[in-house]
Amino acid sequence: MFENDWILRQLALERQRDLLRQIERDRLVRQARPISHQRGHTFYHVLDWTGRLLVRWGERLKARHALYHASSLTTSHEVNHG
């Protein structure tokens, strides 16, 4: 009878340790979530900023290219009809 009580007590203690480990693991997972979410959010902002910068550069190049072609057409038009 004593041996069975001892075994049951050991099993209960082991189960209690398992539950405590699971609780600690869950706590760590919850604690880590905001950090990874924050990093993802920051990464999104970096990508957004980079995209906006590339669009601005593209618009400037396009305007410069259009200005170049407009001036070259005017110059060649004046040469041909001058």
Side-chain angles (χ1 to χ4, degrees):
M1 184 77 144
F2 291 114
E3 189 174 324
N4 287 339
D5 289 341
W6 183 84
I7 290 173
L8 290 175
R9 175 136 173 82
Q10 294 305 310
L11 288 172
L13 288 172
E14 187 59 37
R15 176 69 179 143
Q16 183 181 17
R17 285 189 288 263
D18 286 345
L19 288 173
L20 289 173
R21 280 191 294 267
Q22 183 64 39
I23 289 169
E24 179 64 10
R25 181 190 164 282
D26 291 347
R27 185 188 69 78
L28 291 171
V29 167
R30 279 193 310 276
Q31 185 180 2
R33 264 192 210 134
I35 293 169
S36 64
H37 177 71
Q38 187 178 20
R39 285 182 186 154
H41 191 69
T42 301
F43 184 66
Y44 169 80
H45 282 289
V46 169
L47 286 177
D48 181 59
W49 176 81
T50 304
R52 290 174 190 269
L53 185 63
L54 288 171
V55 167
R56 274 197 307 260
W57 286 348
E59 288 171 348
R60 287 180 188 161
L61 286 172
K62 185 177 176 182
R64 206 179 285 169
H65 184 71
L67 184 63
Y68 172 78
H69 277 290
S71 67
S72 68
L73 287 175
T74 305
T75 306
S76 66
H77 191 292
E78 290 173 0
V79 171
N80 291 336
H81 293 291

